[in-house]
Amino acid sequence: NAVKFQIFKASKLYPKDKKMYKIFKKIELSQKQFIYFKKFADKINIPITCSAFDIESAKFLEKCNVKFHKIASSELSNYKLIDFISKTKKPIVLSTGMSDLEDVKKAVEICENNKNYNISILQCTSLYPPNHRSNNLNVLKAFQKNFIYPVGLSDHNLDNIPAITSVGLGARIFEKHFTLSKKMDGPDHFYALEPNEFKLYIKEIKNSLKCLGSEKKIFLIKERIQSRRKSMYFKRDMKKGEIINKKDIIYMRPPLGIMPNYINHIIKKKIKKNVKAKNPILYKDLK
């Protein structure tokens, strides 16, 4: 539903004599490149943004009129950046790796102090990749107890199990690394999803959402049709105004009518309309 890049200056993240500086310098996204991507995203009508790592980059994104902002886990304690971005009043997605609950509360507080309540909070484990136990998906419950905002998962896993599990815990926003090939040069490609994998990821999340269904426990129509249980049927043709008695009832499969344990609800009731024998007894047929 959206695409997100990262925009940063390697010189602001690492000293120039460090190995990580060389790695990040090599993968810097230029403003010119992002403008090109933004025009293309607008053309195909998909929201696009970047994780900004400094206010200068955030200002550039504002000039590009991005639809929303994403705070990377490493910047959750970058209060000046969060303050600046939250003042735009645009939706803000907070990733929470490298953090504890107090860090998250502080970031949310900054947004709320700027009257920006369009917040989403992603559980994240900043390991690349994490093992299953490190995901701590029950943190989603803590987020829902402490905040009123939508929750989700920033997912660095090698399989889809954590994403599917998090659906059942309330996650509705998912962030996943995407690549054209795991063999490409760069730090993130080996655990990112290639196109067919990403397609499956989305499909399985959507199917997980379908599985949640309703909180209301009901006897589904398809269950009734296939069920071995019995329900009450009319034993004979009956005319409008007749009173139904036990002798007028038979028990048959499938259970398309009122269940037998509710027989006392229908005895002595009048029939609203003419009914045929072996039709299921329904409340709408009775006065």
PDB file of all heavy atoms in Angstrom, residues 258-287:
ATOM      1  N   ILE A 258     -34.986 -24.207  14.017  1.00  0.00           N
ATOM      2  CA  ILE A 258     -34.721 -23.955  15.436  1.00  0.00           C
ATOM      3  C   ILE A 258     -34.244 -25.260  16.079  1.00  0.00           C
ATOM      4  O   ILE A 258     -34.764 -26.340  15.796  1.00  0.00           O
ATOM      5  CB  ILE A 258     -35.996 -23.436  16.126  1.00  0.00           C
ATOM      6  CG1 ILE A 258     -36.435 -22.112  15.475  1.00  0.00           C
ATOM      7  CG2 ILE A 258     -35.768 -23.229  17.623  1.00  0.00           C
ATOM      8  CD1 ILE A 258     -37.815 -21.649  15.897  1.00  0.00           C
ATOM      9  N   MET A 259     -33.226 -25.163  16.933  1.00  0.00           N
ATOM     10  CA  MET A 259     -32.643 -26.346  17.551  1.00  0.00           C
ATOM     11  C   MET A 259     -33.611 -26.957  18.573  1.00  0.00           C
ATOM     12  O   MET A 259     -34.400 -26.248  19.210  1.00  0.00           O
ATOM     13  CB  MET A 259     -31.316 -25.998  18.223  1.00  0.00           C
ATOM     14  CG  MET A 259     -30.284 -25.369  17.277  1.00  0.00           C
ATOM     15  SD  MET A 259     -29.939 -26.365  15.812  1.00  0.00           S
ATOM     16  CE  MET A 259     -29.036 -27.720  16.542  1.00  0.00           C
ATOM     17  N   PRO A 260     -33.566 -28.290  18.772  1.00  0.00           N
ATOM     18  CA  PRO A 260     -34.520 -28.979  19.651  1.00  0.00           C
ATOM     19  C   PRO A 260     -34.553 -28.467  21.080  1.00  0.00           C
ATOM     20  O   PRO A 260     -35.600 -28.531  21.738  1.00  0.00           O
ATOM     21  CB  PRO A 260     -34.031 -30.436  19.599  1.00  0.00           C
ATOM     22  CG  PRO A 260     -33.355 -30.557  18.280  1.00  0.00           C
ATOM     23  CD  PRO A 260     -32.692 -29.234  18.058  1.00  0.00           C
ATOM     24  N   ASN A 261     -33.421 -27.969  21.594  1.00  0.00           N
ATOM     25  CA  ASN A 261     -33.402 -27.510  22.983  1.00  0.00           C
ATOM     26  C   ASN A 261     -34.238 -26.252  23.199  1.00  0.00           C
ATOM     27  O   ASN A 261     -34.443 -25.827  24.335  1.00  0.00           O
ATOM     28  CB  ASN A 261     -31.970 -27.289  23.477  1.00  0.00           C
ATOM     29  CG  ASN A 261     -31.107 -26.527  22.506  1.00  0.00           C
ATOM     30  OD1 ASN A 261     -31.092 -26.835  21.317  1.00  0.00           O
ATOM     31  ND2 ASN A 261     -30.382 -25.542  22.994  1.00  0.00           N
ATOM     32  N   TYR A 262     -34.758 -25.658  22.104  1.00  0.00           N
ATOM     33  CA  TYR A 262     -35.613 -24.478  22.223  1.00  0.00           C
ATOM     34  C   TYR A 262     -37.076 -24.808  21.949  1.00  0.00           C
ATOM     35  O   TYR A 262     -37.872 -23.936  21.627  1.00  0.00           O
ATOM     36  CB  TYR A 262     -35.141 -23.376  21.266  1.00  0.00           C
ATOM     37  CG  TYR A 262     -33.762 -22.839  21.597  1.00  0.00           C
ATOM     38  CD1 TYR A 262     -32.668 -23.158  20.812  1.00  0.00           C
ATOM     39  CD2 TYR A 262     -33.560 -22.040  22.728  1.00  0.00           C
ATOM     40  CE1 TYR A 262     -31.406 -22.685  21.121  1.00  0.00           C
ATOM     41  CE2 TYR A 262     -32.304 -21.568  23.050  1.00  0.00           C
ATOM     42  CZ  TYR A 262     -31.230 -21.895  22.240  1.00  0.00           C
ATOM     43  OH  TYR A 262     -29.970 -21.436  22.557  1.00  0.00           O
ATOM     44  N   ILE A 263     -37.452 -26.074  22.125  1.00  0.00           N
ATOM     45  CA  ILE A 263     -38.810 -26.484  21.802  1.00  0.00           C
ATOM     46  C   ILE A 263     -39.857 -25.733  22.618  1.00  0.00           C
ATOM     47  O   ILE A 263     -40.941 -25.398  22.127  1.00  0.00           O
ATOM     48  CB  ILE A 263     -38.985 -28.021  21.980  1.00  0.00           C
ATOM     49  CG1 ILE A 263     -40.364 -28.455  21.474  1.00  0.00           C
ATOM     50  CG2 ILE A 263     -38.734 -28.444  23.431  1.00  0.00           C
ATOM     51  CD1 ILE A 263     -40.532 -29.961  21.375  1.00  0.00           C
ATOM     52  N   ASN A 264     -39.531 -25.421  23.874  1.00  0.00           N
ATOM     53  CA  ASN A 264     -40.497 -24.701  24.714  1.00  0.00           C
ATOM     54  C   ASN A 264     -40.757 -23.276  24.231  1.00  0.00           C
ATOM     55  O   ASN A 264     -41.723 -22.646  24.653  1.00  0.00           O
ATOM     56  CB  ASN A 264     -40.017 -24.675  26.170  1.00  0.00           C
ATOM     57  CG  ASN A 264     -40.066 -26.057  26.809  1.00  0.00           C
ATOM     58  OD1 ASN A 264     -40.856 -26.907  26.399  1.00  0.00           O
ATOM     59  ND2 ASN A 264     -39.217 -26.290  27.803  1.00  0.00           N
ATOM     60  N   HIS A 265     -39.849 -22.763  23.359  1.00  0.00           N
ATOM     61  CA  HIS A 265     -40.046 -21.422  22.810  1.00  0.00           C
ATOM     62  C   HIS A 265     -41.113 -21.395  21.724  1.00  0.00           C
ATOM     63  O   HIS A 265     -41.613 -20.328  21.374  1.00  0.00           O
ATOM     64  CB  HIS A 265     -38.733 -20.891  22.206  1.00  0.00           C
ATOM     65  CG  HIS A 265     -37.683 -20.579  23.226  1.00  0.00           C
ATOM     66  ND1 HIS A 265     -36.584 -19.807  22.948  1.00  0.00           N
ATOM     67  CD2 HIS A 265     -37.552 -20.951  24.527  1.00  0.00           C
ATOM     68  CE1 HIS A 265     -35.822 -19.721  24.029  1.00  0.00           C
ATOM     69  NE2 HIS A 265     -36.382 -20.409  24.993  1.00  0.00           N
ATOM     70  N   ILE A 266     -41.430 -22.573  21.168  1.00  0.00           N
ATOM     71  CA  ILE A 266     -42.332 -22.566  20.004  1.00  0.00           C
ATOM     72  C   ILE A 266     -43.670 -23.266  20.249  1.00  0.00           C
ATOM     73  O   ILE A 266     -44.628 -23.054  19.502  1.00  0.00           O
ATOM     74  CB  ILE A 266     -41.638 -23.191  18.775  1.00  0.00           C
ATOM     75  CG1 ILE A 266     -41.371 -24.671  18.978  1.00  0.00           C
ATOM     76  CG2 ILE A 266     -40.340 -22.445  18.455  1.00  0.00           C
ATOM     77  CD1 ILE A 266     -40.855 -25.356  17.715  1.00  0.00           C
ATOM     78  N   ILE A 267     -43.736 -24.101  21.279  1.00  0.00           N
ATOM     79  CA  ILE A 267     -45.000 -24.768  21.580  1.00  0.00           C
ATOM     80  C   ILE A 267     -46.065 -23.719  21.925  1.00  0.00           C
ATOM     81  O   ILE A 267     -45.799 -22.740  22.628  1.00  0.00           O
ATOM     82  CB  ILE A 267     -44.819 -25.756  22.755  1.00  0.00           C
ATOM     83  CG1 ILE A 267     -43.861 -26.877  22.363  1.00  0.00           C
ATOM     84  CG2 ILE A 267     -46.165 -26.337  23.199  1.00  0.00           C
ATOM     85  CD1 ILE A 267     -44.327 -27.704  21.202  1.00  0.00           C
ATOM     86  N   LYS A 268     -47.279 -23.912  21.391  1.00  0.00           N
ATOM     87  CA  LYS A 268     -48.434 -23.023  21.594  1.00  0.00           C
ATOM     88  C   LYS A 268     -48.330 -21.709  20.822  1.00  0.00           C
ATOM     89  O   LYS A 268     -49.155 -20.807  21.012  1.00  0.00           O
ATOM     90  CB  LYS A 268     -48.654 -22.710  23.092  1.00  0.00           C
ATOM     91  CG  LYS A 268     -48.769 -23.926  23.998  1.00  0.00           C
ATOM     92  CD  LYS A 268     -49.947 -24.805  23.616  1.00  0.00           C
ATOM     93  CE  LYS A 268     -50.090 -25.994  24.576  1.00  0.00           C
ATOM     94  NZ  LYS A 268     -51.188 -26.902  24.159  1.00  0.00           N
ATOM     95  N   LYS A 269     -47.316 -21.601  19.949  1.00  0.00           N
ATOM     96  CA  LYS A 269     -47.211 -20.396  19.117  1.00  0.00           C
ATOM     97  C   LYS A 269     -48.067 -20.580  17.861  1.00  0.00           C
ATOM     98  O   LYS A 269     -48.225 -21.693  17.348  1.00  0.00           O
ATOM     99  CB  LYS A 269     -45.760 -20.156  18.713  1.00  0.00           C
ATOM    100  CG  LYS A 269     -44.835 -19.768  19.868  1.00  0.00           C
ATOM    101  CD  LYS A 269     -45.108 -18.353  20.334  1.00  0.00           C
ATOM    102  CE  LYS A 269     -44.017 -17.826  21.250  1.00  0.00           C
ATOM    103  NZ  LYS A 269     -43.779 -18.601  22.456  1.00  0.00           N
ATOM    104  N   LYS A 270     -48.606 -19.454  17.347  1.00  0.00           N
ATOM    105  CA  LYS A 270     -49.411 -19.482  16.125  1.00  0.00           C
ATOM    106  C   LYS A 270     -48.519 -19.385  14.892  1.00  0.00           C
ATOM    107  O   LYS A 270     -47.473 -18.733  14.915  1.00  0.00           O
ATOM    108  CB  LYS A 270     -50.403 -18.327  16.112  1.00  0.00           C
ATOM    109  CG  LYS A 270     -51.599 -18.532  17.017  1.00  0.00           C
ATOM    110  CD  LYS A 270     -52.615 -17.401  16.818  1.00  0.00           C
ATOM    111  CE  LYS A 270     -53.854 -17.638  17.688  1.00  0.00           C
ATOM    112  NZ  LYS A 270     -54.853 -16.556  17.477  1.00  0.00           N
ATOM    113  N   ILE A 271     -48.976 -20.037  13.826  1.00  0.00           N
ATOM    114  CA  ILE A 271     -48.270 -19.976  12.558  1.00  0.00           C
ATOM    115  C   ILE A 271     -48.670 -18.696  11.829  1.00  0.00           C
ATOM    116  O   ILE A 271     -49.856 -18.378  11.717  1.00  0.00           O
ATOM    117  CB  ILE A 271     -48.615 -21.201  11.675  1.00  0.00           C
ATOM    118  CG1 ILE A 271     -48.359 -22.504  12.429  1.00  0.00           C
ATOM    119  CG2 ILE A 271     -47.819 -21.167  10.377  1.00  0.00           C
ATOM    120  CD1 ILE A 271     -46.939 -22.752  12.789  1.00  0.00           C
ATOM    121  N   LYS A 272     -47.668 -17.943  11.345  1.00  0.00           N
ATOM    122  CA  LYS A 272     -47.934 -16.679  10.665  1.00  0.00           C
ATOM    123  C   LYS A 272     -48.446 -16.859   9.236  1.00  0.00           C
ATOM    124  O   LYS A 272     -49.110 -15.991   8.690  1.00  0.00           O
ATOM    125  CB  LYS A 272     -46.657 -15.829  10.602  1.00  0.00           C
ATOM    126  CG  LYS A 272     -46.298 -15.116  11.875  1.00  0.00           C
ATOM    127  CD  LYS A 272     -45.080 -14.224  11.604  1.00  0.00           C
ATOM    128  CE  LYS A 272     -44.659 -13.445  12.829  1.00  0.00           C
ATOM    129  NZ  LYS A 272     -43.484 -12.600  12.540  1.00  0.00           N
ATOM    130  N   LYS A 273     -48.077 -17.990   8.606  1.00  0.00           N
ATOM    131  CA  LYS A 273     -48.422 -18.207   7.197  1.00  0.00           C
ATOM    132  C   LYS A 273     -48.534 -19.703   6.940  1.00  0.00           C
ATOM    133  O   LYS A 273     -48.139 -20.522   7.782  1.00  0.00           O
ATOM    134  CB  LYS A 273     -47.356 -17.600   6.297  1.00  0.00           C
ATOM    135  CG  LYS A 273     -45.979 -18.210   6.487  1.00  0.00           C
ATOM    136  CD  LYS A 273     -44.960 -17.566   5.562  1.00  0.00           C
ATOM    137  CE  LYS A 273     -43.598 -18.257   5.725  1.00  0.00           C
ATOM    138  NZ  LYS A 273     -42.567 -17.676   4.849  1.00  0.00           N
ATOM    139  N   ASN A 274     -49.083 -20.070   5.828  1.00  0.00           N
ATOM    140  CA  ASN A 274     -49.159 -21.476   5.465  1.00  0.00           C
ATOM    141  C   ASN A 274     -47.742 -22.036   5.308  1.00  0.00           C
ATOM    142  O   ASN A 274     -46.866 -21.396   4.717  1.00  0.00           O
ATOM    143  CB  ASN A 274     -49.924 -21.664   4.154  1.00  0.00           C
ATOM    144  CG  ASN A 274     -51.392 -21.260   4.284  1.00  0.00           C
ATOM    145  OD1 ASN A 274     -51.920 -21.165   5.390  1.00  0.00           O
ATOM    146  ND2 ASN A 274     -52.043 -21.036   3.155  1.00  0.00           N
ATOM    147  N   VAL A 275     -47.542 -23.251   5.860  1.00  0.00           N
ATOM    148  CA  VAL A 275     -46.223 -23.881   5.752  1.00  0.00           C
ATOM    149  C   VAL A 275     -46.386 -25.318   5.284  1.00  0.00           C
ATOM    150  O   VAL A 275     -47.432 -25.938   5.489  1.00  0.00           O
ATOM    151  CB  VAL A 275     -45.483 -23.853   7.108  1.00  0.00           C
ATOM    152  CG1 VAL A 275     -45.138 -22.427   7.518  1.00  0.00           C
ATOM    153  CG2 VAL A 275     -46.290 -24.544   8.201  1.00  0.00           C
ATOM    154  N   LYS A 276     -45.332 -25.829   4.640  1.00  0.00           N
ATOM    155  CA  LYS A 276     -45.346 -27.178   4.117  1.00  0.00           C
ATOM    156  C   LYS A 276     -44.641 -28.142   5.068  1.00  0.00           C
ATOM    157  O   LYS A 276     -43.718 -27.757   5.793  1.00  0.00           O
ATOM    158  CB  LYS A 276     -44.646 -27.212   2.760  1.00  0.00           C
ATOM    159  CG  LYS A 276     -45.377 -26.446   1.659  1.00  0.00           C
ATOM    160  CD  LYS A 276     -46.628 -27.194   1.227  1.00  0.00           C
ATOM    161  CE  LYS A 276     -47.286 -26.516   0.037  1.00  0.00           C
ATOM    162  NZ  LYS A 276     -48.516 -27.234  -0.377  1.00  0.00           N
ATOM    163  N   ALA A 277     -45.066 -29.384   5.043  1.00  0.00           N
ATOM    164  CA  ALA A 277     -44.399 -30.431   5.807  1.00  0.00           C
ATOM    165  C   ALA A 277     -42.932 -30.527   5.392  1.00  0.00           C
ATOM    166  O   ALA A 277     -42.581 -30.316   4.227  1.00  0.00           O
ATOM    167  CB  ALA A 277     -45.090 -31.766   5.586  1.00  0.00           C
ATOM    168  N   LYS A 278     -42.090 -30.829   6.358  1.00  0.00           N
ATOM    169  CA  LYS A 278     -40.648 -31.014   6.185  1.00  0.00           C
ATOM    170  C   LYS A 278     -39.909 -29.724   5.833  1.00  0.00           C
ATOM    171  O   LYS A 278     -38.768 -29.750   5.383  1.00  0.00           O
ATOM    172  CB  LYS A 278     -40.349 -32.114   5.165  1.00  0.00           C
ATOM    173  CG  LYS A 278     -40.863 -33.475   5.619  1.00  0.00           C
ATOM    174  CD  LYS A 278     -40.413 -34.593   4.710  1.00  0.00           C
ATOM    175  CE  LYS A 278     -40.918 -35.940   5.242  1.00  0.00           C
ATOM    176  NZ  LYS A 278     -40.517 -37.067   4.369  1.00  0.00           N
ATOM    177  N   ASN A 279     -40.567 -28.582   6.076  1.00  0.00           N
ATOM    178  CA  ASN A 279     -39.862 -27.300   6.046  1.00  0.00           C
ATOM    179  C   ASN A 279     -39.301 -27.036   7.434  1.00  0.00           C
ATOM    180  O   ASN A 279     -39.950 -27.361   8.443  1.00  0.00           O
ATOM    181  CB  ASN A 279     -40.803 -26.164   5.657  1.00  0.00           C
ATOM    182  CG  ASN A 279     -40.915 -25.994   4.156  1.00  0.00           C
ATOM    183  OD1 ASN A 279     -40.361 -26.788   3.399  1.00  0.00           O
ATOM    184  ND2 ASN A 279     -41.642 -24.991   3.731  1.00  0.00           N
ATOM    185  N   PRO A 280     -38.100 -26.452   7.542  1.00  0.00           N
ATOM    186  CA  PRO A 280     -37.555 -26.146   8.874  1.00  0.00           C
ATOM    187  C   PRO A 280     -38.420 -25.110   9.595  1.00  0.00           C
ATOM    188  O   PRO A 280     -38.990 -24.210   8.968  1.00  0.00           O
ATOM    189  CB  PRO A 280     -36.161 -25.591   8.571  1.00  0.00           C
ATOM    190  CG  PRO A 280     -36.215 -25.135   7.160  1.00  0.00           C
ATOM    191  CD  PRO A 280     -37.190 -26.028   6.458  1.00  0.00           C
ATOM    192  N   ILE A 281     -38.537 -25.269  10.905  1.00  0.00           N
ATOM    193  CA  ILE A 281     -39.296 -24.310  11.719  1.00  0.00           C
ATOM    194  C   ILE A 281     -38.386 -23.135  12.047  1.00  0.00           C
ATOM    195  O   ILE A 281     -37.319 -23.303  12.636  1.00  0.00           O
ATOM    196  CB  ILE A 281     -39.812 -24.968  13.011  1.00  0.00           C
ATOM    197  CG1 ILE A 281     -40.724 -26.149  12.673  1.00  0.00           C
ATOM    198  CG2 ILE A 281     -40.551 -23.937  13.868  1.00  0.00           C
ATOM    199  CD1 ILE A 281     -41.184 -26.935  13.883  1.00  0.00           C
ATOM    200  N   LEU A 282     -38.832 -21.943  11.670  1.00  0.00           N
ATOM    201  CA  LEU A 282     -38.063 -20.714  11.875  1.00  0.00           C
ATOM    202  C   LEU A 282     -38.866 -19.747  12.727  1.00  0.00           C
ATOM    203  O   LEU A 282     -40.095 -19.712  12.649  1.00  0.00           O
ATOM    204  CB  LEU A 282     -37.712 -20.059  10.524  1.00  0.00           C
ATOM    205  CG  LEU A 282     -36.990 -20.944   9.504  1.00  0.00           C
ATOM    206  CD1 LEU A 282     -36.894 -20.243   8.172  1.00  0.00           C
ATOM    207  CD2 LEU A 282     -35.616 -21.345  10.023  1.00  0.00           C
ATOM    208  N   TYR A 283     -38.178 -18.936  13.516  1.00  0.00           N
ATOM    209  CA  TYR A 283     -38.886 -17.977  14.380  1.00  0.00           C
ATOM    210  C   TYR A 283     -39.740 -17.019  13.555  1.00  0.00           C
ATOM    211  O   TYR A 283     -40.813 -16.598  13.981  1.00  0.00           O
ATOM    212  CB  TYR A 283     -37.866 -17.180  15.211  1.00  0.00           C
ATOM    213  CG  TYR A 283     -37.316 -17.950  16.392  1.00  0.00           C
ATOM    214  CD1 TYR A 283     -35.979 -18.286  16.450  1.00  0.00           C
ATOM    215  CD2 TYR A 283     -38.130 -18.328  17.449  1.00  0.00           C
ATOM    216  CE1 TYR A 283     -35.453 -18.997  17.533  1.00  0.00           C
ATOM    217  CE2 TYR A 283     -37.629 -19.027  18.539  1.00  0.00           C
ATOM    218  CZ  TYR A 283     -36.283 -19.360  18.571  1.00  0.00           C
ATOM    219  OH  TYR A 283     -35.797 -20.056  19.645  1.00  0.00           O
ATOM    220  N   LYS A 284     -39.284 -16.692  12.361  1.00  0.00           N
ATOM    221  CA  LYS A 284     -40.035 -15.721  11.540  1.00  0.00           C
ATOM    222  C   LYS A 284     -41.380 -16.292  11.081  1.00  0.00           C
ATOM    223  O   LYS A 284     -42.258 -15.536  10.651  1.00  0.00           O
ATOM    224  CB  LYS A 284     -39.205 -15.312  10.324  1.00  0.00           C
ATOM    225  CG  LYS A 284     -38.981 -16.404   9.308  1.00  0.00           C
ATOM    226  CD  LYS A 284     -38.157 -15.890   8.131  1.00  0.00           C
ATOM    227  CE  LYS A 284     -37.980 -16.977   7.069  1.00  0.00           C
ATOM    228  NZ  LYS A 284     -37.202 -16.477   5.897  1.00  0.00           N
ATOM    229  N   ASP A 285     -41.571 -17.642  11.175  1.00  0.00           N
ATOM    230  CA  ASP A 285     -42.835 -18.246  10.785  1.00  0.00           C
ATOM    231  C   ASP A 285     -43.849 -18.253  11.919  1.00  0.00           C
ATOM    232  O   ASP A 285     -45.015 -18.632  11.719  1.00  0.00           O
ATOM    233  CB  ASP A 285     -42.601 -19.693  10.334  1.00  0.00           C
ATOM    234  CG  ASP A 285     -41.729 -19.775   9.087  1.00  0.00           C
ATOM    235  OD1 ASP A 285     -41.797 -18.819   8.270  1.00  0.00           O
ATOM    236  OD2 ASP A 285     -40.996 -20.758   8.944  1.00  0.00           O
ATOM    237  N   LEU A 286     -43.426 -17.856  13.127  1.00  0.00           N
ATOM    238  CA  LEU A 286     -44.276 -17.965  14.314  1.00  0.00           C
ATOM    239  C   LEU A 286     -44.622 -16.595  14.882  1.00  0.00           C
ATOM    240  O   LEU A 286     -43.828 -15.684  14.838  1.00  0.00           O
ATOM    241  CB  LEU A 286     -43.554 -18.799  15.381  1.00  0.00           C
ATOM    242  CG  LEU A 286     -42.995 -20.153  14.929  1.00  0.00           C
ATOM    243  CD1 LEU A 286     -42.230 -20.786  16.058  1.00  0.00           C
ATOM    244  CD2 LEU A 286     -44.103 -21.073  14.452  1.00  0.00           C
ATOM    245  N   LYS A 287     -45.823 -16.488  15.433  1.00  0.00           N
ATOM    246  CA  LYS A 287     -46.215 -15.264  16.127  1.00  0.00           C
ATOM    247  C   LYS A 287     -45.701 -15.310  17.563  1.00  0.00           C
ATOM    248  O   LYS A 287     -45.740 -16.361  18.191  1.00  0.00           O
ATOM    249  CB  LYS A 287     -47.738 -15.102  16.119  1.00  0.00           C
ATOM    250  CG  LYS A 287     -48.295 -14.663  14.777  1.00  0.00           C
ATOM    251  CD  LYS A 287     -49.769 -14.330  14.900  1.00  0.00           C
ATOM    252  CE  LYS A 287     -50.319 -13.852  13.574  1.00  0.00           C
ATOM    253  NZ  LYS A 287     -51.740 -13.522  13.656  1.00  0.00           N
TER     254      LYS A 287
END
